[in-house]
Amino acid sequence: MFVSADKVPYNMHSMPSVTENLAHRAYASAPDRFALREGNRHITYGELSELVERMAGGLAQLGIRPGSRVAILMRDSIDAAVAILGTMAIGAIAVPLPELSTAEDLRARLRHAGATVAVVERGLDAALDEVRAELPELREVVCAGVVNPSMRDFAEFIASADRQPPVAVRADDVCLLLYSSGSSSEDVRAVAHSHRSIAAAFASAQTAGLVAADDRVLSAGRLSTAYGLGSGLLFPLMAGCEAILLPEQPKSERVLRLIEASSPTVIAATPSLYSQLAHDADDLGRRGALRQCRLALAGAEGMPDAMLDLIHQVLGHEVTVGYGLTEIFGFAVASTPERATQRPGSSGQVLPGI
C-alpha cells in the first residue's frame, strides 16, 4: 500500500526481526560461510554479523531509535548492505534511494521520508550536499570515502561503534520505505514494508524454489528496488546462501565477466538486460554463459515472448519470468521452465502464499 511517511502502521504481535532471523539461521549456525561477495572481496556470515551490529551501534549513538528513518544513497556494495541491515537491526526504517537520484529527487524523498540520518558514498554525495541546507530534519550524514568535513567517515563510524544486537520488533513494525517507479519529485509515494511482509515474500519465494541454502545468487536489480533488494540481498541471506553484489551499472561485458568469475547458481535480471546479454554474448565470447545456472529469473519489466527463445539459444538457459509488485516485495506470478505447458503470452502461475 501507499502510505504517508508519518503514518506507518504498528501492532503488538511480536516476531523475530529480519536481522534476528539472519542471526538465527546463519550467523550462529554457519559463521564461516560466505555471505556477501563484491568483486574480489568476500565476507562471511560471522563478519557480516559484526559489521551489522556495529552499524546498529553507531546509529544508536547518533540517536536513531525504532521508527527513525535512515536514508541510504550508495551503489550496490557490501557497505550498502551493512547500512540497510544495520538500520533494520536497530528497529529503524531503511530508505534505500536510487544511486542516479538527482538533487531534486533527494530533496523531495528525504523530506517525505523524514530521514534524520543519511548514509552515502563518495561520488554520490554531491547531489545530497546541494540540497542538505533545505533538509532541517537531516541531522547527520555518514559517507564512505568521505572528503567533506561536515560528514562522518563510514569506516571510522563502523570501527569505533559498540556492537548492538538486533532489537525485538513487532510483526507489523515498518522496516523499509521503498519509492516506487511511479513516484516522482512532484508526486512522492512510498511503499512501507514491515518485517512480516518481508518474511511472507521470502516464504513465497522459497516455497516456489527461487532461492535455496546452497545457492550463489547474482541479481542485477538495484538494492533501491523491491526486486533487487529481495532477490539480491535479503532473500539470499534469509536462506543462508551467498549474495553476489554488483556495484557498477549492469552492462553486458561486466555482467558476463562477473558470471564467469563467480559461477552463480541463480541470476536475476531485467528482460532488457537479458536481451542485451543475448545480443552481446557472441561478440564478447561468452555464448552459453548461463549454462551452469540452475535458475534464471526475469522481472521488473515485461518480457517479449519472442525474446525467450533467443535468450535460451544464446545464453544456454530457459528464463523464468515473474510479474511482481513493489507493494508485495516480490513476484505475484511466475512462469515455469516448462514453457510448453503454458499459454503463449501468459505470465505463469500464482506463487504460493500470494
Side-chain angles (χ1 to χ4, degrees), residues 193-227:
H193 280 291
S194 67
H195 293 273
R196 186 209 302 272
S197 68
I198 293 174
F202 169 67
S204 175
Q206 196 173 42
T207 302
L210 302 186
V211 63
D214 56 353
D215 278 323
R216 294 182 303 280
V217 181
L218 168 61
S219 175
R222 311 317 282 169
L223 296 183
S224 57
T225 68
Y227 180 45

